Amino acid sequence: MSFDSPEEVRSFEGGMGQMELVQLERGPVGRGTFKPGWRWSEHVKPIAGTDSCQAAHTGYFVSGRMKVVMDDGEEQEYGPGDFAVIPPGHDAWILGEDDCVFIDWQGVADYAKPAQ
């Protein structure tokens, strides 16, 4: 298995990145690439159809910077080398001019997956 030849690719609105998935026995693992200017509420919300991201994420930031704001207003910023546990109920966006790459072991089963 390799993210360089993923089993599934889900593109974000406006060409602002993608989620590449590989299927493990315990479920999918995703590599998200988020372009500068990406924001969940603009580029995934139309796909998800929820007011905020309802996926729980557990993962590792390879590159770039992301700000996450919970529905209750709590804020966290992540960058290269950071491990994150992000509960459901948040918005997020990219900080700076670099792509943000995030490996997610938990929240990708339905992330950016169009409704059937």
Side-chain angles (χ1 to χ4, degrees), residues 9-23:
V9 177
R10 299 178 189 157
S11 296
F12 305 141
E13 295 281 314
M16 294 299 286
Q18 63 190 18
M19 181 65 68
E20 300 160 313
L21 292 99
V22 294
Q23 295 292 331

Side-chain angles (χ1 to χ4, degrees), residues 57-101:
H57 305 284
T58 301
Y60 176 79
F61 284 86
V62 176
S63 63
R65 299 201 64 76
M66 181 181 284
K67 182 164 189 166
V68 176
V69 178
M70 302 303 298
D71 291 348
D72 68 5
E74 182 180 339
E75 300 180 9
Q76 182 67 45
E77 207 174 292
Y78 299 97
D82 289 342
F83 183 80
V85 176
I86 305 168
H90 57 272
D91 194 4
W93 54 89
I94 300 310
L95 301 170
E97 298 302 317
D98 297 322
D99 286 0
C100 180
V101 177

